[in-house]
Amino acid sequence: MRRLTVLALGTALVSLAGAAFADAEWGDYKGYTLRVKLIGGAQYEKLYAEIPKWEAATGAKVQIVSSKNHFELDKEIKQDIAAGKIDYCVASNHTSFAPQYGDIYIDLNGVIKPEILAEFDSLALKNATVDGKLVQLPRHSDISNLFYKKSLYADQANKDAFKAKYGYDLAPPETFDQFKDQAIFFAKAPDFYGTQFVGKDEAITGRFYEMLVANGGALFDENWNPTFNSPAGVKSLQWFKDLYDAKAVPAGSLNYLWDDTGMGFASGTVALDLDWAGWAAFFNDPKNSKVAGDIGLVRAPKGDGGKRSGWSGSHSFSITKTCDNQAAAASLITFLTDHDNQMIEARTGLLPTRTKVWTDAEAEFTSQGNEFMANVFQTYSKSMAEDAFTPPLIAPWIEVSNVIWPDLQKGILGEMTPQEALDDAAAKAKTIMEDAGYLKN
Amino acid sequence: MAILRRQNATPFLLLMPAFVTMALVVVLPLIFSLYTSFTGYRLIKPESLYDWVGFRNYTRILSDPDFWIAFGRTVLFLTVVLNLEFVFGLGIALLINKITWGQRTLRTIMMFPMMFSPILVGFQFKFLFNDNIGVVNNALQSLGLSDGAIPWLVDGKLAFFSIALAEVWMSTSVFAILLLAGLFAMPRDPLEAAKVDGCNAWQTFRHITLPFLMPFGYIAMAIRSLDVARAYDIVKVMTDGGPAGRTELLWTLIGRTGYDNSRMGMANAMAYFSVILSILFTWYFYRKLVAARRYMGGVQ
Amino acid sequence: MSSRVESQGSKTLKRVALTVLTFLLMAIMCIPGLWVILAAFRPNGEILAKPPVWIPENPTLTNFEKIFGFGADQVGIPVGAYFTNSLIIAVTSTVIALAVGMAGGYAFARFRFRGKGAIFLGLMLFRAVPGIALSLPVFIIWSRLGIIDTKFGLILVYVSLNVPFTIWLIDGFFRQVPLSLSEAAQVDGCTAWQAFWKIEFPLARSGIAAAGVFAFLTSWNEFALASQLTRSTSSKTLPVGLLDFTAQFTIDWAGMCAMAVIIIIPALILTFLVQKHLIAGLTFGGVKG
């Protein structure tokens, strides 16, 4: 009899403790309203449908103060800084934009438990660190790898013709030089193109930058002198120019942004496309894309320096300095990036930032028979772990990019030689770095 | 000739609401902008608001050739676009005026482009003019009129043309509707008299209809010349001033300087040049408006 | 006899030909817009096809379903909220702008007073400031006043955006109405106020309607300021919602077109309804001298 009571009591205690533990997992913030600014758009908002679970577990309410597109959100936050009115706790952030915001966000290193941080990719965390402070918790990442039309490479006639012309076997390119050869080979303007590239804004600067690094060059030296007009830089710019001159890319490429290149590959008129993982599901969906079922994927090519290109960035969450309940904020962002929620995002093709989610997602795709997505995850997980790098995490980066890309365009169009164009951009970049106080002159 | 009422407080009372709203929404911000143009204000460093630099922003602008090229291009763009919109709008208004059957439907159709938000128009034409998968090139190829992919948004002249086309498409309806309303408001007597006197259609048009319509035309041009700054949305989406600055207009330059580069002080200085430009255009149309009214013998 | 019948016939033929031609011209003019509307009912794959698919092969309503949240696992866009906001903001700002415009336009048309020319010009010059220079200070001031993300804040901005135009335009139309008509009414016993509403207002109707349509469409479609001054569903308008379809890398073109259709339809309906006021029922032949 007594044993039963002890047992009953014991069970009750354990379950109580269990319940308390469950609440303790996310904390108890009953009655508190957490104000957040999140990035909007169908791709990103799926995650927010999980927020009610957090609200139920903690008793707090989440008030989404603003939900905007990537660029609009950036403008908005800059305005908030200007107006001195940062009255929210959590904001969506991105590794490329984070350095511009000064010190409005706190260092998460003291606030999020180290055990949790240890479950994230170390490279992702490194790229989320600005001036030694972890100002953002990465949510999902992106990096580019090479998609291609499988049927083109399987075709025997192509193989023979290519071997005859270039002297090596036709296979998805390992280097940028091979990439160029094959793009020119496949092109039949105006009906079909070898590849395409984005032609303006930070987009082209980024592509140029990653190729520069792959070719062994660097944007700046350790004193912040611009060094992108080195031979590696000229070779990189020359790559774009050669493709453009050979009409291996659409003539309108210089006006293209990500949606143009994505749609271009999906329309089936392009052979090779160095593109982001976020497009993978779109490319393989027959309702949206003509190349569905005919897509191959290899890792990004290497340059002369033996490195692969790996320009990448992560969307993230940050906590503001003016937040009056940092614990609640930390709890929310940890929840939004926990294993299950990252799995939800991974299923739609967004690359996770937690190490375990990579393997779990890939396993899930394989078990569902979705070989394509499993392959995508396998390939991209290696890229993220080994090749990923961000632009310099400094405040004037966007400004520097804005003087580089018009000159890149001039070089490609032939208004200047590549060397002249890069020299001109380097001179302008030098002025910016001096004004910003990075370069001591 | 009727005598106008003499001055008393009434007109000022009637204008009071206008003054108040304009003061709040325009004058105060204008003063703030003017002040910041003399500083090195950067959005992301609010303290820089007090960093007085005098005329440095202005001198940098005056000596920057890229700015002046953009300025010139903007003037050209405005001139071309306004004239085209007026001519097309007039043509459409005259046509519709003549039709009796289904006119209400026609008028609604005529205003169709006005229902598109400028940002949508930008995306729409960016897409239509895409050289690879855009509708325009595909149509031209299907009809056999062209064998290549025409780079509508890359070639210097073609890009200018494409942007102008988008803007004209969006705003011709404004002129059309104003001129049509003007045509409706026209008194019939002079027209009848002209017919009786034996004038042909062209003479009637040139000497009676057109002068009557010109005031409305100038009002439309005045407002559109200011409104064309809304073309910022179109240009930003379609080309963002590129490639290589070939389609850079004042507004894309200002937007990029102010928000992307966060150099708000400099951007506001540029904006003041843009303001001067707008003032010139408006003043020009105002003079024409007054002259046109005087010509008609109307009230001053 | 037969020649008169013939000339009558040829006149009708001319008229029919002209009507057909005009409709055709209008249709051509509308093609870019029609393309967008058509795209709303097609999947992305078909829109981007090369060679192009002119006749829709798979018309579908999925784009709309996604917007309203009926799609498989999609979170819908709060279109209802955007729509209500847009409607309230656009209608209110138009009504106010028209009222201010009529008052101001009447003042300029009927009165002589000091500085009239300068004030008239000055009103328009305020519009000369490009949005870029205006938007940040407006944002800072609005944020101090606490009216960011409110419908009121946006209405205030739109009123001042539209007032110069409504005043200039309505002034133009009031000038066309002869003062003699109003004075004749007053001789007959009306007050100036009654004469205004009975005589001058109806005769200037087409101008006021045109100004109203223009003001409404400006507010309905305005993007830049709305994007600045709104944050959440309490005030976000439809054009700002358009950008929900653009993510960092992708544009859901079909979705955006569907949203565009949602934006266009109310504007179209309203315009069609206001049409009858666009005709001025002028009887200038009535009063001579």
Side-chain angles (χ1 to χ4, degrees):
Chain A
M1 193 57 198
R2 223 194 283 173
R3 209 185 280 165
L4 263 173
T5 332
V6 169
L7 205 59
L9 262 174
T11 327
L13 269 171
V14 168
S15 60
L16 260 178
F21 186 76
D23 275 344
E25 194 189 357
W26 299 119
D28 183 5
Y29 304 107
K30 206 170 254 120
Y32 177 67
T33 304
L34 188 65
R35 292 162 58 85
V36 304
K37 282 199 180 184
L38 300 175
I39 186 170
Q43 226 180 34
Y44 306 105
E45 290 189 12
K46 220 159 159 253
L47 177 63
Y48 309 152
E50 306 297 313
I51 291 183
K53 291 199 187 121
W54 183 85
E55 290 177 321
T58 59
K61 271 232 69 179
V62 171
Q63 183 190 8
I64 300 185
V65 173
S66 171
S67 166
K68 294 241 181 102
N69 155 281
H70 190 65
F71 296 103
E72 298 295 312
L73 192 64
D74 168 60
K75 256 170 58 171
E76 195 178 299
I77 295 183
K78 284 184 179 150
Q79 283 169 348
D80 289 339
I81 299 178
K85 198 157 185 279
I86 304 182
D87 55 356
Y88 41 93
C89 258
V90 171
S92 283
N93 206 347
H94 189 278
T95 49
S96 299
F97 285 110
Q100 292 177 79
Y101 298 142
D103 56 359
I104 61 170
Y105 295 131
I106 64 173
D107 184 354
L108 296 174
N109 265 321
V111 175
I112 306 226
K113 301 198 206 50
E115 313 89 74
I116 296 184
L117 288 178
E119 295 172 3
F120 284 77
D121 277 341
S122 51
L123 195 52
L125 288 180
K126 176 161 166 287
N127 288 334
T129 309
V130 177
D131 279 342
K133 292 194 292 185
L134 183 69
V135 292
Q136 54 196 324
L137 190 61
R139 164 184 172 176
H140 59 251
S141 308
D142 227 338
I143 192 173
S144 298
N145 278 316
L146 198 51
F147 293 94
Y148 62 91
K149 270 185 100 164
K150 272 203 293 218
S151 49
L152 287 176
Y153 283 82
D155 180 75
Q156 190 59 41
N158 278 341
K159 287 203 235 190
D160 296 334
F162 187 81
K163 183 83 187 269
K165 189 161 180 210
Y166 288 96
Y168 61 93
D169 283 328
L170 179 64
E174 262 289 302
T175 66
F176 277 103
D177 288 329
Q178 290 179 353
F179 188 168
K180 187 164 74 171
D181 288 343
Q182 293 174 14
I184 295 180
F185 174 73
F186 283 122
K188 283 180 199 52
D191 298 313
F192 195 78
Y193 295 100
T195 185
Q196 48 189 356
F197 51 76
V198 285
K200 59 182 183 183
D201 294 349
E202 201 209 358
I204 192 178
T205 313
R207 286 281 183 241
F208 165 74
Y209 164 55
E210 66 175 356
M211 203 179 293
L212 171 71
V213 170
N215 278 334
L219 278 175
F220 299 103
D221 64 16
E222 58 290 349
N223 292 323
W224 295 109
N225 270 310
T227 54
F228 51 83
N229 49 347
S230 58
V234 174
K235 173 151 190 207
S236 308
L237 183 51
Q238 193 69 41
W239 186 91
F240 290 97
K241 183 169 165 47
D242 290 341
L243 284 174
Y244 192 75
D245 289 340
K247 293 200 190 341
V249 295
S253 285
L254 282 173
N255 196 41
Y256 281 4
L257 276 182
W258 305 118
D259 53 296
D260 296 294
T261 52
M263 305 293 205
F265 187 68
S267 75
T269 56
V270 177
L272 293 150
D273 185 30
L274 185 67
D275 225 328
W276 308 92
W279 281 105
F282 185 87
F283 287 158
N284 209 32
D285 177 358
K287 274 203 260 62
N288 283 324
S289 154
K290 290 202 131 173
V291 293
D294 184 24
I295 311 176
L297 178 65
V298 286
R299 276 172 74 182
K302 294 188 187 154
D304 287 349
K307 284 182 75 170
R308 296 188 190 273
S309 61
W311 179 36
S312 100
S314 307
H315 281 278
S316 57
F317 295 111
S318 298
I319 303 181
T320 61
K321 269 216 179 101
T322 52
C323 182
D324 56 346
N325 192 338
Q326 288 183 358
S331 165
L332 179 66
I333 68 177
T334 317
F335 169 77
L336 287 173
T337 56
D338 79 353
H339 180 273
D340 292 335
N341 284 327
Q342 286 210 8
M343 282 297 291
I344 293 179
E345 297 218 295
R347 287 187 195 106
T348 62
L350 297 170
L351 303 182
T353 50
R354 274 174 177 266
T355 329
K356 191 161 179 296
V357 179
W358 281 104
T359 36
D360 289 349
E362 195 190 320
E364 196 179 283
F365 283 128
T366 317
S367 71
Q368 287 170 349
N370 191 342
E371 275 180 43
F372 177 73
M373 284 309 285
N375 184 26
V376 165
F377 264 64
Q378 211 184 47
T379 317
Y380 277 90
S381 104
K382 290 207 209 85
S383 316
M384 277 309 294
E386 295 172 23
D387 308 322
F389 56 85
T390 63
L393 298 171
I394 52 174
W397 165 241
I398 300 284
E399 232 187 302
V400 169
S401 161
N402 277 341
V403 299
I404 292 182
W405 66 263
D407 276 330
L408 292 177
Q409 289 179 331
K410 289 194 179 126
I412 296 175
L413 287 169
E415 289 178 20
M416 291 178 166
T417 69
Q419 184 72 59
E420 285 168 358
L422 288 176
D423 288 337
D424 182 60
K428 292 193 181 122
K430 192 151 180 255
T431 319
I432 295 176
M433 295 306 279
E434 282 169 355
D435 279 351
Y438 280 82
L439 196 53
K440 325 286 174 218
N441 48 343
Chain B
M1 189 71 181
I3 305 175
L4 283 184
R5 297 201 187 96
R6 292 281 203 75
Q7 175 184 355
N8 53 30
T10 321
F12 292 106
L13 277 175
L14 287 172
L15 285 171
M16 195 51 63
F19 287 152
V20 169
T21 43
M22 301 304 282
L24 191 58
V25 180
V26 180
V27 175
L28 286 180
L30 213 64
I31 298 178
F32 180 84
S33 290
L34 188 62
Y35 168 73
T36 60
S37 69
F38 292 111
T39 67
Y41 184 45
R42 305 184 70 116
L43 265 189
I44 49 181
K45 289 201 175 81
E47 330 78 69
S48 62
L49 185 57
Y50 305 108
D51 172 26
W52 184 266
V53 299
F55 281 97
R56 191 182 75 185
N57 288 332
Y58 287 99
T59 42
R60 274 198 188 164
I61 291 174
L62 285 171
S63 54
D64 181 6
D66 287 336
F67 176 79
W68 288 107
I69 296 178
F71 189 86
R73 195 179 288 120
T74 311
V75 172
L76 182 65
F77 183 76
L78 276 174
T79 315
V80 166
V81 154
L82 285 176
N83 280 312
L84 283 178
E85 288 175 4
F86 178 76
V87 167
F88 288 145
L90 185 60
I92 293 175
L94 287 171
L95 259 182
I96 295 188
N97 195 28
K98 279 219 152 44
I99 313 285
T100 41
W101 184 84
Q103 207 197 53
R104 187 166 166 173
T105 320
L106 262 183
R107 291 203 306 268
T108 314
I109 297 179
M110 169 189 83
M111 296 205 271
F112 188 56
M114 279 168 76
M115 316 216 174
F116 286 75
S117 186
I119 195 150
L120 181 64
V121 175
F123 280 117
Q124 177 183 337
F125 278 92
K126 174 171 188 242
F127 209 72
L128 290 175
F129 281 125
N130 182 306
D131 65 305
N132 188 16
I133 50 181
V135 174
V136 173
N137 271 348
N138 282 335
L140 288 176
Q141 277 182 264
S142 305
L143 291 174
L145 287 173
S146 106
D147 58 345
I150 306 179
W152 294 103
L153 297 173
V154 169
D155 175 83
K157 299 192 191 62
L158 285 179
F160 187 87
F161 167 77
S162 308
I163 302 177
L165 186 76
E167 166 57 35
V168 167
W169 183 84
M170 187 172 77
S171 306
T172 299
S173 309
V174 174
F175 279 83
I177 185 182
L178 288 181
L179 293 171
L180 189 62
L183 281 173
F184 286 153
M186 217 167 86
R188 306 280 165 215
D189 288 356
L191 291 172
E192 304 285 334
K195 214 183 258 180
V196 163
D197 283 350
C199 296
N200 65 27
W202 171 250
Q203 285 168 325
T204 318
F205 173 73
R206 194 167 174 286
H207 295 285
I208 303 191
T209 314
L210 198 57
F212 185 86
L213 283 183
M214 280 325 279
F216 298 104
Y218 288 127
I219 294 176
M221 287 218 228
I223 197 73
R224 282 307 301 156
S225 72
L226 302 173
D227 244 4
V228 175
R230 286 201 307 162
Y232 167 72
D233 290 328
I234 292 184
V235 183
K236 176 108 177 82
V237 169
M238 280 174 85
T239 62
D240 199 12
R246 289 172 176 181
T247 54
E248 187 88 281
L249 297 179
L250 266 187
W251 312 301
T252 46
L253 188 59
I254 295 175
R256 192 178 313 119
T257 315
Y259 280 103
D260 296 350
N261 296 351
S262 297
R263 285 186 189 252
M264 241 340 170
M266 175 71 104
N268 280 332
M270 288 186 193
Y272 271 89
F273 278 98
S274 165
V275 168
I276 294 174
L277 183 64
S278 302
I279 291 179
L280 284 173
F281 267 86
T282 309
W283 185 75
Y284 171 76
F285 288 124
Y286 177 70
R287 297 282 304 227
K288 294 282 221 176
L289 175 65
V290 167
R293 284 192 172 143
R294 206 172 287 142
Y295 178 77
M296 291 298 294
V299 290
Q300 286 311 310
Chain C
M1 187 70 178
S2 63
S3 68
R4 203 184 298 166
V5 168
E6 218 174 358
S7 78
Q8 188 68 23
S10 74
K11 214 189 248 180
T12 322
L13 199 66
K14 249 200 242 172
R15 188 168 291 165
V16 168
L18 194 64
T19 312
V20 167
L21 186 70
T22 313
F23 268 95
L24 212 63
L25 193 67
M26 290 291 116
I28 294 180
M29 197 174 92
C30 290
I31 284 183
L34 287 176
W35 189 86
V36 166
I37 302 213
L38 199 64
F41 296 96
R42 304 161 80 175
N44 266 314
E46 206 177 280
I47 301 175
L48 312 167
K50 178 174 171 166
V53 178
W54 299 113
I55 320 277
E57 283 164 16
N58 298 321
T60 168
L61 285 176
T62 37
N63 298 319
F64 292 98
E65 284 168 23
K66 279 202 280 190
I67 292 181
F68 288 107
F70 295 132
D73 47 6
Q74 293 280 2
V75 176
I77 301 199
V79 183
Y82 294 165
F83 184 87
T84 330
N85 291 336
S86 271
L87 197 63
I88 296 179
I89 292 174
V91 169
T92 316
S93 61
T94 303
V95 166
I96 300 179
L98 278 181
V100 174
M102 283 198 285
Y106 193 78
F108 283 114
R110 292 290 187 234
F111 292 83
R112 237 182 25 221
F113 49 91
R114 289 240 312 260
K116 178 170 166 178
I119 297 180
F120 193 68
L121 184 60
L123 267 176
M124 194 59 106
L125 287 184
F126 280 137
R127 195 72 192 275
V129 185
I132 309 285
L134 212 51
S135 54
L136 181 67
V138 168
F139 172 78
I140 295 185
I141 296 176
W142 256 231
S143 130
R144 297 253 181 265
L145 290 176
I147 49 180
I148 295 285
D149 203 23
T150 60
K151 295 196 244 304
F152 172 71
L154 211 50
I155 291 176
L156 195 56
V157 172
Y158 284 166
V159 165
S160 70
L161 209 59
N162 285 318
V163 152
F165 179 69
T166 53
I167 289 185
W168 268 44
L169 189 65
I170 296 180
D171 158 72
F173 278 87
F174 275 139
R175 280 169 199 266
Q176 304 305 332
V177 177
L179 197 55
S180 47
L181 289 177
S182 167
E183 291 182 337
Q186 288 180 58
V187 160
D188 281 351
C190 292
T191 64
W193 179 255
Q194 286 173 317
F196 173 76
W197 286 106
K198 277 198 159 58
I199 310 279
E200 291 165 306
F201 175 74
L203 288 177
R205 220 174 22 172
S206 73
I208 297 177
V213 167
F214 191 80
F216 178 82
L217 288 177
T218 307
S219 310
W220 183 256
N221 283 331
E222 204 279 333
F223 170 77
L225 286 166
S227 168
Q228 284 250 322
L229 301 175
T230 64
R231 296 276 178 268
S232 68
T233 51
S234 12
S235 70
K236 222 161 134 179
T237 57
L238 285 169
V240 183
L242 261 183
L243 275 203
D244 280 356
F245 291 93
T246 65
Q248 184 185 2
F249 296 139
T250 65
I251 292 187
D252 178 5
W253 183 247
M256 197 191 263
C257 291
M259 186 71 161
V261 169
I262 295 178
I263 298 182
I264 290 172
I265 289 189
L268 210 58
I269 294 177
L270 180 103
T271 313
F272 193 73
L273 288 176
V274 168
Q275 286 291 343
K276 66 179 178 194
H277 294 294
L278 232 50
I279 307 182
L282 291 180
T283 55
F284 275 141
V287 176
K288 297 277 193 235

